[in-house]
Amino acid sequence: MKKLGYLVALYPIGFIDSVIALRISLLLLLLSVVINRRLSLVDWLLLGLLGITAYSWLTVDGYERSFISPQISSYYVFLFSLRFFYVCRDDLLNFITNLPLFHYLLLCVVYLVVQVKVGYTYEVGVLEAFMLIRLALQARQRGLMLAMLLAYLVLMFLISTRTTPLGIALLVAGCCLLKPPKPVLKAVVVGVILLTPVAGFFLMGLDLSSSMADVDDNAEIRLEMLKGASSMIGISEFLHGVGFGGPYRDVSFKYAFWHPLLDTRFLAHQVSNHNSLFDVFFRFGIFVYALFAVVFLRVIWLDKTTNHYVYALLFVTLFSLSVNAYLDSTRLSHAFAAFIIGLMLLIPRRTLRHQRAPNAAVVRVGSRTVDAAKSPG
């Protein structure tokens, strides 16, 4: 049953459409309830989200807004999928590390074929998460897996004409091959986490749009989105967020240029700011954002995190959440359940011990043991 859930989450066919993605996340939730009915950490997060949603709905009239379901549905997809991965975490790690290499190759081909046939569908999905977790855990065939992942990302970039897969490939290659100094990696993570909530306020004082217009249209509109959203944030919104039902950005804000995502009221309510880290702060406020940020900051606080493959997983997660709507897209949020659970399970508790033989390694994840290598990496 657990393997069925892994394969459902791993194969892309079900996530081509957002409605199908929502239904499959419900299937994963049901599987997780059958496997383990006890309340977990993720269940308390889900209950908290239900409470915030109910509060936001009850205060609709007071804030002169209407409750908009698409703004909340992706968070449920994320937590439904996260519960399944969390409940099945022991077997999940075994599944990822023991899945034959040719199966990963087959999955790369399947994703690329779907991209060709359907058009732009994926940027970074569950497959990349599983492959990065495999790289961090297992030294055996690591070079082949890394080469496969980088080649897949470059091909996805060429097929989709989107820059995100290429950016991910550069991050993975930089962390895994160049092995930057650990203090540099830590500084980048801290900088992203601390600057994200206040980035829009800084941008409002800078005239970057005109200089970015000739460089990257996507970067230009993202800067304007953050500026327009930040203009909505006062002291109370900074503390507890704007809730659900309010627009993603202020339609009356003086933008540097016209764009339907910025100037159309319907789209301002429906389309996120394309920065999921910022939107967590924007919807929930600084205290919930701080809890979310702990998942990432715990990584760099622990001296045990010396594996650059683990840092690759961390940076891919941060990058993708920072440049796109991965927690605000029903179709993509399930993928980041896999990334977050990888960080939660592998990074905080990961230690390597040479116990069984000089050329064997064991990964300890809490009280659990996962085979990490059968030969020196």
Side-chain angles (χ1 to χ4, degrees), residues 93-100 104 134 138 140 371 374:
L93 296 179
N94 286 321
F95 177 85
I96 291 173
T97 54
N98 294 323
L99 192 66
Y104 283 103
R134 164 78 172 259
Q138 191 173 77
R140 182 170 55 88
D371 289 336
K374 296 183 180 179

Side-chain angles (χ1 to χ4, degrees), residues 127-183:
L127 173 61
E128 292 90 323
F130 277 27
M131 293 176 80
L132 280 167
I133 294 170
R134 164 78 172 259
L135 284 168
L137 275 177
Q138 191 173 77
R140 182 170 55 88
Q141 298 179 315
R142 179 172 279 167
L144 287 174
M145 175 65 72
L146 179 59
M148 185 191 306
L149 175 60
L150 293 176
Y152 163 76
L153 288 168
V154 172
L155 287 173
M156 182 65 76
F157 161 70
L158 295 174
I159 294 172
S160 68
T161 68
R162 297 277 179 154
T163 58
T164 301
L166 181 60
I168 296 300
L170 293 175
L171 283 175
V172 173
C175 288
C176 299
L177 300 177
L178 301 179
K179 301 187 185 303
K182 194 174 177 181

Side-chain angles (χ1 to χ4, degrees), residues 57 84 97 147 210 258 319 329 372:
W57 181 75
F84 171 77
T97 54
S210 58
W258 181 90
F319 176 79
S329 166

Side-chain angles (χ1 to χ4, degrees), residues 1 74 145 168 204-205 224 238 292 303 311 335 347 356 372:
M1 188 177 294
S74 58
M145 175 65 72
I168 296 300
M204 281 192 285
E224 290 294 294
F238 189 88
F292 191 79
D303 293 331
Y311 273 103
I347 299 170
R356 299 181 180 177

Side-chain angles (χ1 to χ4, degrees), residues 182-258:
K182 194 174 177 181
V184 173
L185 298 177
K186 288 185 174 183
V188 173
V189 175
V190 173
V192 171
I193 294 298
L194 294 182
L195 291 177
T196 294
V198 296
F201 298 107
F202 288 114
L203 292 172
M204 281 192 285
L206 301 174
D207 185 18
L208 294 178
S209 294
S210 58
S211 59
M212 289 298 299
D214 297 329
V215 180
D216 189 331
D217 292 340
N218 275 327
E220 179 189 27
I221 191 174
R222 279 162 172 74
L223 294 178
E224 290 294 294
M225 283 176 166
L226 291 180
K227 289 163 61 177
S230 297
S231 68
M232 299 171 58
I233 299 174
I235 295 178
S236 60
E237 289 82 7
F238 189 88
L239 295 177
H240 57 69
V242 301
F244 297 94
Y248 276 102
R249 64 202 67 86
D250 189 353
V251 181
S252 62
F253 183 76
K254 186 178 180 181
Y255 295 101
F257 61 95
W258 181 90

Side-chain angles (χ1 to χ4, degrees), residues 360-374:
V362 178
V363 174
R364 296 286 298 178
V365 184
S367 60
R368 303 177 298 282
T369 302
V370 179
D371 289 336
K374 296 183 180 179

Side-chain angles (χ1 to χ4, degrees), residues 23-314:
R23 292 171 179 170
I24 289 185
S25 70
L26 287 171
L27 172 61
L28 293 177
L29 176 65
L30 292 175
L31 287 174
S32 72
V33 172
V34 173
I35 293 167
N36 190 337
R37 298 181 182 179
R38 290 183 297 179
L39 288 178
S40 65
L41 169 64
V42 177
D43 293 309
W44 292 112
L45 292 173
L46 182 57
L47 290 173
L49 184 58
L50 286 169
I52 293 172
T53 307
Y55 173 77
S56 179
W57 181 75
L58 291 172
T59 57
V60 162
D61 294 334
Y63 287 93
E64 297 181 352
R65 64 190 186 206
S66 59
F67 188 78
I68 301 173
S69 58
Q71 293 180 355
I72 191 67
S73 60
S74 58
Y75 289 94
Y76 288 120
V77 172
F78 170 73
L79 286 172
F80 290 163
S81 304
L82 188 69
R83 188 189 198 276
F84 171 77
F85 289 134
Y86 186 80
V87 166
C88 306
R89 56 193 180 276
D90 296 331
D91 292 323
L92 172 64
L93 296 179
N94 286 321
F95 177 85
I96 291 173
T97 54
N98 294 323
L99 192 66
L101 205 62
F102 76 85
H103 203 120
Y104 283 103
L105 177 60
L106 173 63
L107 284 164
C108 288
V109 173
V110 169
Y111 271 82
L112 291 172
V113 169
V114 170
Q115 186 71 39
V116 171
K117 295 295 184 180
V118 179
Y120 170 62
T121 304
Y122 302 97
E123 288 189 78
V124 179
V126 177
L127 173 61
E128 292 90 323
F130 277 27
M131 293 176 80
L132 280 167
I133 294 170
R134 164 78 172 259
L135 284 168
L137 275 177
Q138 191 173 77
R140 182 170 55 88
Q141 298 179 315
R142 179 172 279 167
L144 287 174
M145 175 65 72
L146 179 59
M148 185 191 306
L149 175 60
L150 293 176
Y152 163 76
L153 288 168
V154 172
L155 287 173
M156 182 65 76
F157 161 70
L158 295 174
I159 294 172
S160 68
T161 68
R162 297 277 179 154
T163 58
T164 301
L166 181 60
I168 296 300
L170 293 175
L171 283 175
V172 173
C175 288
C176 299
L177 300 177
L178 301 179
K179 301 187 185 303
K182 194 174 177 181
V184 173
L185 298 177
K186 288 185 174 183
V188 173
V189 175
V190 173
V192 171
I193 294 298
L194 294 182
L195 291 177
T196 294
V198 296
F201 298 107
F202 288 114
L203 292 172
M204 281 192 285
L206 301 174
D207 185 18
L208 294 178
S209 294
S210 58
S211 59
M212 289 298 299
D214 297 329
V215 180
D216 189 331
D217 292 340
N218 275 327
E220 179 189 27
I221 191 174
R222 279 162 172 74
L223 294 178
E224 290 294 294
M225 283 176 166
L226 291 180
K227 289 163 61 177
S230 297
S231 68
M232 299 171 58
I233 299 174
I235 295 178
S236 60
E237 289 82 7
F238 189 88
L239 295 177
H240 57 69
V242 301
F244 297 94
Y248 276 102
R249 64 202 67 86
D250 189 353
V251 181
S252 62
F253 183 76
K254 186 178 180 181
Y255 295 101
F257 61 95
W258 181 90
H259 193 285
L261 290 179
L262 302 174
D263 300 320
T264 303
R265 183 168 296 278
F266 172 77
L267 294 178
H269 280 75
Q270 300 288 339
V271 181
S272 79
N273 293 295
H274 283 61
N275 183 322
S276 288
L277 284 179
F278 176 84
D279 281 342
V280 169
F281 158 71
F282 184 72
R283 290 291 167 203
F284 299 103
I286 192 64
F287 298 113
V288 173
Y289 175 81
L291 294 176
F292 191 79
V294 165
V295 175
F296 305 103
L297 293 177
R298 283 190 65 186
V299 179
I300 64 173
W301 289 339
L302 296 174
D303 293 331
K304 296 175 182 177
T305 309
T306 58
N307 190 326
H308 280 77
Y309 295 92
V310 173
Y311 273 103
L313 177 69
L314 170 65

